Amino acid sequence: MVLTKEYRICMPLTVEEYQIGQLYMIARHSLEKSESGQGIEVVENSECEDEEHGKGQFTEKRVHLSNRLPYWIQAVCPRVFYITEKAWNYYPFTITEYTCSFIPKFSISIQTRYENNSGTTENCLKLPEDKLASRTVDHVDIAFEEVDPKHYKQEEDPKCFKSKITGRGPLIEGWREHEKPIMCSYKLVSASFEVWGFQTRVEDFIQKCIRDILLLGHRQAFTWIDDWYNMTMEDVREYEKRKHVETNEKVLQNTTDEPEITQDQSEKTLDID
């Protein structure tokens, strides 16, 4: 049984505004979270087209993260390890897939749709009855849920932030009921790791990691609004290209200098927190 969750993340933005904010946030976040040999390498970024969804943007990335995984995963992974991310952005609908050639039974699928409401659409992604019955809905509050302390910055806290350009914020208790404008990201995340003895714990670990990333990324997209609000689509695509080059240069430095995993580290007990 594949573990499937639907995350609903509200934002004090319109869907049209978030199209710019999302692209800006992803490019900037990727650069900030990358370092020598670790992070996100952009392999391809090109236009695409689909019969149902029309024109869009396709990206392929390599997520180099072997040093950031728990030791129990590092122990069975090669020293040079990455996950392939493929994304099809037909905004306001997107598809993202993660695979790993080293672990063929590992996969993550994310379908996203953006709507101008507060997360009230019960079947935004038009799921069949069997999938509706098996999914779990999780409402993520960007203001009143705490990020990992190592990622916390007061200037990126929606409870403290006030936009100089739009006047939006700070967000107060109950903001999703009264804030205008309001939009919601509906994200259906299916995580599969069909390896006996590890499946449940790994799938839970994957969902926790994805939830943490969604919380942090959406907080940043809002609190960085003054940096991207006046950008056009052409502006943000040019910004994206520049950041992709910078990120690749950063990640691809010394990629062969991965540290060895010690025997003591590989024998540590499972810890997915």
Side-chain angles (χ1 to χ4, degrees), residues 37-43 60-67 69 73 77-86 98-104 106 251-252 255 258:
Q38 296 287 298
I40 301 171
E41 173 194 357
V42 180
V43 178
E60 180 176 343
K61 301 176 183 178
R62 291 176 179 174
V63 186
H64 299 266
L65 41 57
S66 56
N67 290 348
L69 295 172
I73 293 183
C77 290
R79 292 177 62 196
V80 180
F81 172 74
Y82 63 84
I83 289 172
T84 298
E85 175 196 283
K86 294 183 179 181
Y98 296 89
T99 57
C100 176
S101 59
F102 178 69
I103 310 173
F106 161 85
V251 172
L252 295 176
T255 53
E258 303 281 355

Side-chain angles (χ1 to χ4, degrees), residues 17 20-21 24 163-166 224-236:
E17 289 170 342
I20 302 291
Y24 177 90
S163 168
K164 294 179 181 178
I165 294 177
T166 67
W224 291 346
I225 188 172
D226 289 348
D227 295 316
W228 59 258
Y229 189 77
N230 289 322
M231 283 185 169
T232 64
M233 181 58 70
E234 291 73 20
D235 291 335
V236 77

Side-chain angles (χ1 to χ4, degrees), residues 25 29 32-33 156 216-225:
M25 176 270 291
H29 179 92
E32 290 188 357
K33 296 303 177 183
E156 294 178 0
L216 178 61
H218 283 75
R219 284 164 64 100
Q220 290 175 329
F222 170 54
T223 57
W224 291 346
I225 188 172

Side-chain angles (χ1 to χ4, degrees), residues 115-150:
E115 289 191 347
N116 285 313
N117 58 50
S118 58
T120 53
T121 304
E122 284 310 310
N123 191 10
C124 177
L125 292 158
K126 299 179 174 58
L127 303 178
E129 288 298 323
D130 59 332
K131 289 191 175 182
L132 276 177
S134 63
R135 72 165 182 184
T136 300
V137 176
D138 186 347
H139 293 268
V140 179
D141 188 338
I142 66 167
F144 288 88
E145 292 187 30
E146 300 299 328
V147 297
D148 189 312
K150 66 185 178 184

Side-chain angles (χ1 to χ4, degrees), residues 66-226:
S66 56
N67 290 348
R68 300 181 181 183
L69 295 172
Y71 289 127
W72 57 274
I73 293 183
Q74 291 187 39
V76 298
C77 290
R79 292 177 62 196
V80 180
F81 172 74
Y82 63 84
I83 289 172
T84 298
E85 175 196 283
K86 294 183 179 181
W88 295 262
N89 187 343
Y90 306 106
Y91 201 86
F93 176 73
T94 66
I95 301 168
T96 310
E97 296 177 352
Y98 296 89
T99 57
C100 176
S101 59
F102 178 69
I103 310 173
K105 293 187 178 182
F106 161 85
S107 65
I108 302 170
S109 173
I110 304 175
Q111 293 185 44
T112 305
R113 189 174 294 279
Y114 306 96
E115 289 191 347
N116 285 313
N117 58 50
S118 58
T120 53
T121 304
E122 284 310 310
N123 191 10
C124 177
L125 292 158
K126 299 179 174 58
L127 303 178
E129 288 298 323
D130 59 332
K131 289 191 175 182
L132 276 177
S134 63
R135 72 165 182 184
T136 300
V137 176
D138 186 347
H139 293 268
V140 179
D141 188 338
I142 66 167
F144 288 88
E145 292 187 30
E146 300 299 328
V147 297
D148 189 312
K150 66 185 178 184
H151 298 310
Y152 179 82
K153 297 179 182 178
Q154 185 173 350
E155 64 270 23
E156 294 178 0
D157 187 339
K159 298 192 300 297
C160 306
F161 171 78
K162 184 175 180 64
S163 168
K164 294 179 181 178
I165 294 177
T166 67
R168 298 175 203 174
L171 302 183
I172 62 174
E173 193 73 52
W175 68 273
R176 289 177 291 183
E177 282 70 52
H178 60 72
E179 196 74 25
K180 300 295 180 185
I182 191 81
M183 61 155 286
C184 184
S185 301
Y186 294 82
K187 290 185 172 287
L188 186 74
V189 180
S190 299
S192 176
F193 188 81
E194 299 177 8
V195 177
W196 186 85
F198 285 91
Q199 182 170 2
T200 300
R201 285 179 288 182
V202 172
E203 290 178 359
D204 285 341
F205 173 76
I206 291 169
Q207 290 283 0
K208 180 183 183 302
C209 290
I210 290 172
R211 194 186 195 283
D212 289 346
I213 292 168
L214 293 176
L215 175 60
L216 178 61
H218 283 75
R219 284 164 64 100
Q220 290 175 329
F222 170 54
T223 57
W224 291 346
I225 188 172
D226 289 348

